[in-house]
Amino acid sequence: MRTAIGPTLAQASVALVDPHDCTDDPDKLAILEAVHLALVRRGADGRWEPALAERWSVSDDARVWTFELKPGVECHDGTPADAEAAAWSIARMARPDIGATLGAPAVWAQYLAGARIEAASRSTVRIALDRPMADLLDVLGSGYVLSPLSGKGLPVGCGAYRIEAYDAGDRLVLQADPSQPGGGVASPRLRFLQVDSPAERAAALKAGTVQAATQLDRAGAALLAADPAVTVVEHLVPTAIICLFNAARGPTRDARVRRALNLALDREALVSGVLHGGGRPLSGFVSPVHLGAASASGVAGADLDAASRLLAEAGYRSGLELEVTCPTSLPDEAEALTAAVAAQLAPLGVTFRVERVEDRVEYANRVRLKRIGDLCVFDSSPMSTFRVLHEKIDSRVAGSWWQGFRNPAVEALLDRGRTTVDDAGREAIYRECYRLLQDDPPWLYLYNHTRFVGLAGRHPDWRMRADGIVDASALPAM
């Protein structure tokens, strides 16, 4: 049933954050995507498509990018969303005090520092980088264009919806602006409501008190599946659940040990036992929807014989003890997952000595400072193969989440990828990176979660965007 203020979307959290924060939180991103607009945005297939920019070009050396903006667009305060505003916004996101995420400061500055960002005309933005970056769109997709007149409050954007009312941690009411790119949305008003648990969100949708519910688990989806008045859509969460190997010291410094542990896992059993079926096995360093990745169907079963031979070659014929650093949240199943992995490795004589860390901020800081055991439970985002390679695997960068791994062949491919502006050519390069990192894994690859979205009414053609973010502008009428 439609409410007086339009459909209500139930999320686990409702928070307005700085648009240039670096976040992988799907609830925050759903709101940012509704209120703000960048030069480009993800399409339904996860690839980049025009947003505020109607077209763009890049130089052959991948250093100079030129964007032509759609004319006549305004921010919600009436100021022009023109090249000047876009250049100012991108320069803002490049500041060292902007773009922090848990444990990692100034994420965007590492890509944009040193760039010359200018408004070449009222409708043309030019970005001259100090080094090639053929995947610049993976950064600029988070470069929401803001009004330079934004005061001390939350910055003003130019998205399909403008903010009408906000109660932090409770609700956000949005009103559509049909003059904006992405305007003409199905719902002229939309409310985001914080409903803490998946069970409560599913129950609210079934009762008709909300018209959409996100991040539902399998139990919630089952509750709604038999209701002919509700559409339930399953989707992959592209964030990879992994264990980071300590490749700087100890047994996991040896590539044979890292390869053996990966070969020994039955990931289907982990998904079934730990997630009760709510996931898909992970066969490499990024999800199946990342550029250059293999599909989930390519995940092989456990090969204990091959794993045992590799451990014997590495000098661990009788097994070994590994120190595991384990959080109690993010992922919330970390402790159960650690126990399940330990049980699967036990036939090889591998045992775990587990150190639990309850404070998640402290845990992130320990990982960032490389103070982990032989491995630690972690997750990896974003949906950018380039950024994952650059920030977490390239030893020359030695980023916040890098743990001593080095593969010169992968790094040489990454350098080639930086200058390959042809998307198909770059995808082939990343496919080769994927293969190499299966043979020489920096992490213990585990799984991706799957989640469900429920919508009031029958919407057989609606699909979740490939990056796992609800696109409010693409929601059907409810």
Side-chain angles (χ1 to χ4, degrees), residues 243 323-339 352-360 363 366-367 372-373 375-378:
C243 288
E323 181 183 346
V324 180
T325 312
C326 179
T328 56
S329 63
L330 297 176
D332 293 341
E333 75 276 10
E335 292 179 277
L337 173 59
T338 300
F352 282 178
R353 184 173 72 257
V354 180
E355 180 188 13
R356 296 171 68 254
V357 181
E358 295 187 3
D359 186 323
R360 193 57 177 78
Y363 184 81
R366 287 184 55 174
V367 176
I372 65 170
L375 61 162
C376 68
V377 183
F378 214 62

Side-chain angles (χ1 to χ4, degrees), residues 202 206 216-227 232 452:
K206 188 170 181 63
L216 302 178
D217 55 20
R218 296 185 78 82
L223 174 70
L224 298 168
D227 189 337
V232 179
F452 298 84

Side-chain angles (χ1 to χ4, degrees), residues 91-448:
R92 179 183 187 271
M93 77 181 291
R95 284 166 28 189
D97 61 327
I98 295 287
T101 190
L102 191 63
V107 172
W108 308 127
Q110 67 185 301
Y111 299 107
L112 294 170
R116 297 192 309 278
I117 306 162
E118 62 178 358
S121 72
R122 183 161 187 178
S123 61
T124 305
V125 177
R126 184 168 295 121
I127 301 174
L129 302 165
D130 63 353
R131 61 184 303 194
M133 197 186 315
D135 286 289
L136 180 64
L137 300 185
D138 287 0
V139 174
L140 296 185
S142 298
Y144 300 110
V145 175
L146 312 175
S147 167
L149 299 182
S150 298
K152 294 183 178 179
L154 287 163
V156 176
C158 57
Y161 285 92
R162 65 175 67 219
I163 299 168
E164 183 176 300
Y166 174 54
D167 295 316
D170 181 18
R171 68 180 185 117
L172 171 70
V173 181
L174 304 178
Q175 181 161 356
D177 186 341
S179 67
Q180 305 301 88
V185 294
S187 300
R189 300 177 85 196
L190 183 65
R191 181 173 71 157
F192 289 83
L193 183 68
Q194 182 164 314
V195 181
D196 294 336
S197 76
E200 291 174 311
R201 294 194 291 277
L205 178 56
K206 188 170 181 63
T209 54
V210 305
Q211 286 67 51
T214 68
Q215 296 192 67
L216 302 178
D217 55 20
R218 296 185 78 82
L223 174 70
L224 298 168
D227 189 337
V230 174
T231 298
V232 179
V233 175
E234 184 177 14
H235 67 94
L236 183 83
V237 178
T239 296
I241 305 302
I242 58 172
C243 288
L244 299 174
F245 283 129
N246 188 335
R249 61 172 175 79
T252 49
R253 184 177 181 179
D254 192 317
R256 293 168 297 185
V257 173
R258 300 195 303 269
R259 174 75 170 148
L261 298 180
N262 270 286
L263 284 171
L265 289 187
D266 182 343
R267 292 167 178 81
E268 294 280 7
L270 290 178
V271 168
S272 175
V274 177
L275 301 181
H276 310 292
R280 296 182 196 170
L282 183 69
S283 62
F285 76 103
V286 288
S287 82
V289 297
H290 279 70
L291 189 68
S295 69
S297 61
V299 179
D303 190 340
L304 291 176
D305 290 339
S308 182
R309 287 194 298 271
L310 281 169
L311 286 180
E313 288 176 18
Y316 300 103
R317 187 177 301 276
S318 300
L320 72 161
E321 182 183 63
L322 297 173
E323 181 183 346
V324 180
T325 312
C326 179
T328 56
S329 63
L330 297 176
D332 293 341
E333 75 276 10
E335 292 179 277
L337 173 59
T338 300
V341 171
Q344 288 198 13
L345 297 179
L348 295 174
V350 176
T351 59
F352 282 178
R353 184 173 72 257
V354 180
E355 180 188 13
R356 296 171 68 254
V357 181
E358 295 187 3
D359 186 323
R360 193 57 177 78
V361 175
E362 177 195 346
Y363 184 81
N365 284 328
R366 287 184 55 174
V367 176
R368 179 175 58 84
L369 296 171
K370 326 303 179 196
R371 295 175 182 169
I372 65 170
D374 298 305
L375 61 162
C376 68
V377 183
F378 214 62
D379 56 17
S380 175
S381 60
M383 196 175 139
S384 165
T385 306
F386 165 70
R387 283 189 55 202
V388 174
L389 287 166
H390 174 85
E391 296 174 24
K392 302 175 181 180
I393 291 176
D394 192 336
S395 66
R396 302 163 299 180
V397 175
S400 294
W401 313 126
W402 176 78
Q403 299 297 325
F405 177 80
R406 182 172 182 267
N407 186 307
V410 170
E411 292 172 1
L413 285 168
L414 179 55
D415 288 344
R416 280 179 53 199
R418 282 183 170 276
T419 59
T420 303
V421 297
D422 172 64
D423 289 346
R426 204 164 62 259
E427 183 170 11
I429 289 169
Y430 292 151
R431 192 177 299 117
E432 179 62 11
C433 288
Y434 192 93
R435 187 191 66 76
L436 290 174
L437 293 174
Q438 288 178 309
D439 293 337
D440 180 19
W443 310 331
L444 188 62
Y445 307 136
L446 299 171
Y447 49 68
N448 293 99

